[in-house]
Amino acid sequence: MILARVVHDLLYEQPNAEARLRTIRTSLGLVGALSMYGLPPAEFVTAHRPDFEQAGVTERALPACTYRWMKLAGAGFGLASARGNSAGLTFAAALTSGAASHTSASLFRRLWTYDSHVAALMLLASLPLPVHDLERRRRASMMIALMQALIGCVYAQAALSKLHNDPQSWLRTGDTLRGSVAILGTPGARKFLNYPKIFPALSIGAVAVEAVVPLAVLGGPSVQRYAGMAALAFHGSTAASMRIPFWHLASLLPAIFIHRNRRERVDEGSPK
Amino acid sequence: MRIMGAHTRNARADGMVLALTAVYLLNQVRHTWQRRKRWPFCSYDMFSYPLGTRFPQPRVQLLDDIGATEPMPVYGLLPVEFFRTVAILDEIFYECSDEALQDRFADRLLWRLNERPWRGFDEVRASVRPRTLTGWTGLRLLDVVIDLADYDAEIDGPLHDVQPFYSYRWAA
């Protein structure tokens, strides 16, 4: 009964949902546009697709020319949708950037599709809002809740994979983290290699953050805000230690988990 | 009646979105459990494979008029994320046995390093810039082992069990 109430509030009672949805679309548009810049150049697709086909490692994807246009269109629609008030532009950005991202991932089937959440989030953010006020709020609230669930799922997957594939290292020895810092670490982080005993604790801490964020989605606005800040700090530390900011996820956390506008704060302080 | 109709349609649409999202999330978790990646699903299994205290790593020596560079990480050889570079080189030069394909790939790789250098962005590492006007003229890929017991990250060494597994040089 309590869980049903929590899920209902999470889905349909997100505070100030419409204004937050605009902020989320803005963040997503900018992230989507910038992520197009990070994809491989079309020349790479043209040059190596025959090699990958011959090696039997490629899957069906767009031709290089279409890929180039999808990248440009993805960046353009992403920037245009950053105004935050057009579901149509967000939808166009989701389709074009998704097509470019799919081509990059399909070119070589072992390529990890580790930023496909951006297209999935854009698709959710592009649902049209109904005309009726109450239904608009409910739909906007549901969209935010589903985006929170999607991001929570990413962290849950990261924790699950570590516990499933390498529990000994992530819960006891810390060897995998230590080895990763050795080969990828920044000069500052490499200094910690002289203190191998701290890596088990750091490993457990990393898995703990990844496991707690999904649970915090159910915890209401305040808990979500703290979880979002913890996750941001986590990404900050991986950026500082290994130059892996996971920015395409981290930069969405303020809009989806942390941001609350002035009206909401005033409402919280006033009598119920 | 018209308002009721719209209300029903919206409720149905919401239900469908909820169901589709639930299916998507379940598929995501399934991909993690099965260690699979297939766009748009992703296992997000970063750093989840055991390294141990002694593990193999790829290194490259680039060749030019001066000679060969010191062995260095392969991350700056392709304009894709560093972990993708490792996976691609592994597939082309390790798993594949077609020497003509390997030489064609290496040829294009060297051309790109010389003619189309790229900047680093996020997890894409900047290309290894040529030291001379003639640019890079060859490469040698090495299989090495890193032992955390004696590895010094500042000098990227000592590297153990160094085994060259592929080399290519432009004809003079």
Side-chain angles (χ1 to χ4, degrees):
Chain A
M1 201 61 186
I2 293 171
L3 185 65
R5 182 77 226 168
V6 168
V7 171
H8 177 272
D9 286 356
L10 178 72
L11 278 175
Y12 301 116
E13 304 289 341
Q14 294 264 349
N16 222 8
E18 284 182 70
R20 286 170 63 201
L21 182 61
R22 279 195 294 277
T23 314
I24 290 171
R25 281 179 177 160
T26 299
S27 301
L28 273 170
L30 295 174
V31 167
L34 195 55
S35 68
M36 292 297 97
Y37 178 72
L39 289 179
E43 178 273 323
F44 181 80
V45 178
T46 311
H48 295 308
R49 172 169 283 160
D51 301 332
F52 293 148
E53 277 171 0
Q54 200 174 328
V57 294
T58 196
E59 290 171 0
R60 273 184 60 191
L62 296 172
C65 175
T66 317
Y67 167 70
R68 178 186 288 122
W69 283 109
M70 286 296 130
K71 271 178 69 178
L72 280 172
F77 282 125
L79 288 175
S81 69
R83 279 191 69 186
N85 54 4
S86 169
L89 284 173
T90 306
F91 184 66
L95 286 190
T96 48
S97 62
S101 164
H102 171 254
T103 298
S104 157
S106 305
L107 183 63
F108 184 84
R109 66 177 171 229
R110 275 177 61 192
L111 291 185
W112 298 351
T113 58
Y114 74 124
D115 53 2
S116 52
H117 54 266
V118 177
L121 289 167
M122 274 185 174
L123 209 54
L124 273 175
S126 69
L127 290 175
L129 294 178
V131 180
H132 189 265
D133 267 355
L134 179 63
E135 290 189 338
R136 281 176 77 84
R137 280 200 297 275
R138 276 173 63 94
R139 172 73 59 82
S141 172
M142 183 190 76
M143 287 156 71
I144 294 173
L146 293 182
M147 286 188 255
Q148 290 172 338
L150 201 144
I151 289 182
C153 186
V154 169
Y155 287 100
Q157 288 176 267
L160 175 66
S161 67
K162 291 182 178 74
L163 299 178
H164 181 45
N165 301 336
D166 186 17
Q168 172 79 357
S169 169
W170 283 97
L171 295 179
R172 232 169 65 80
T173 66
D175 286 342
T176 296
L177 182 59
R178 190 171 153 226
S180 303
V181 170
I183 55 178
L184 296 171
T186 56
R190 285 171 174 175
K191 291 189 170 61
F192 288 98
L193 292 171
N194 298 324
Y195 309 97
K197 285 185 179 167
I198 66 167
F199 283 95
L202 291 175
S203 299
I204 291 170
V207 175
V209 171
E210 289 173 342
V212 163
V213 170
L215 297 175
V217 169
L218 295 170
S222 295
V223 177
Q224 285 176 1
R225 210 163 67 248
Y226 287 120
M229 289 179 200
L232 263 185
F234 171 71
H235 290 300
S237 68
T238 58
S241 59
M242 291 196 281
R243 288 190 290 163
I244 299 178
F246 227 68
W247 63 273
H248 35 78
L249 186 66
S251 54
L252 298 172
L253 294 172
I256 296 180
F257 282 101
I258 300 171
H259 168 73
R260 299 185 308 167
N261 70 13
R262 191 173 297 161
R263 200 176 104 200
E264 184 190 337
R265 286 198 293 268
V266 171
D267 286 350
E268 252 183 25
S270 61
K272 301 282 178 205
Chain B
M1 280 300 280
R2 194 173 293 165
I3 291 172
M4 282 300 286
H7 178 77
T8 310
R9 271 199 305 278
N10 283 326
R12 248 187 230 149
D14 286 355
M16 198 178 293
V17 170
L18 279 170
L20 285 174
T21 308
V23 170
Y24 175 77
L25 296 182
L26 284 174
N27 254 309
Q28 287 277 75
V29 174
R30 187 167 68 92
H31 276 67
T32 302
W33 193 255
Q34 296 177 342
R35 305 172 190 182
R36 290 179 62 202
K37 302 163 185 85
R38 192 178 179 85
W39 199 95
F41 303 108
C42 177
S43 55
Y44 293 104
D45 55 357
M46 300 77 71
F47 302 105
S48 72
Y49 294 95
L51 275 182
T53 55
R54 196 177 156 84
F55 50 87
Q57 279 285 290
R59 288 289 182 271
V60 65
Q61 286 181 295
L62 288 167
L63 315 176
D64 59 13
D65 298 346
I66 302 172
T69 61
E70 288 295 310
M72 59 177 129
V74 297
Y75 308 140
L77 294 184
L78 293 174
V80 295
E81 287 88 343
F82 67 87
F83 52 87
R84 292 179 171 176
T85 301
V86 173
I88 289 173
L89 296 180
D90 180 53
E91 192 71 49
I92 298 294
F93 294 108
Y94 225 84
E95 300 293 330
C96 176
S97 55
D98 185 336
E99 288 181 14
L101 187 156
Q102 292 173 337
D103 290 351
R104 193 169 65 233
F105 195 95
D107 188 74
R108 189 71 184 192
L109 184 155
L110 289 170
W111 174 86
R112 188 180 297 107
L113 285 178
N114 292 329
E115 303 294 332
R116 296 271 192 285
W118 62 91
R119 286 192 206 129
F121 173 74
D122 188 24
E123 296 179 45
V124 179
R125 301 294 184 244
S127 61
V128 188
R129 302 300 161 105
R131 299 183 296 189
T132 65
L133 284 176
T134 46
W136 304 116
T137 55
L139 64 86
R140 193 179 297 141
L141 291 168
L142 312 169
D143 207 2
V144 307
V145 169
I146 284 176
D147 192 334
L148 290 181
D150 62 6
Y151 181 67
D152 181 349
E154 299 301 323
I155 58 165
D156 188 31
L159 303 173
H160 301 277
D161 304 339
V162 178
Q163 300 284 339
F165 67 90
Y166 174 79
S167 78
Y168 176 80
R169 181 139 213 173
W170 274 340

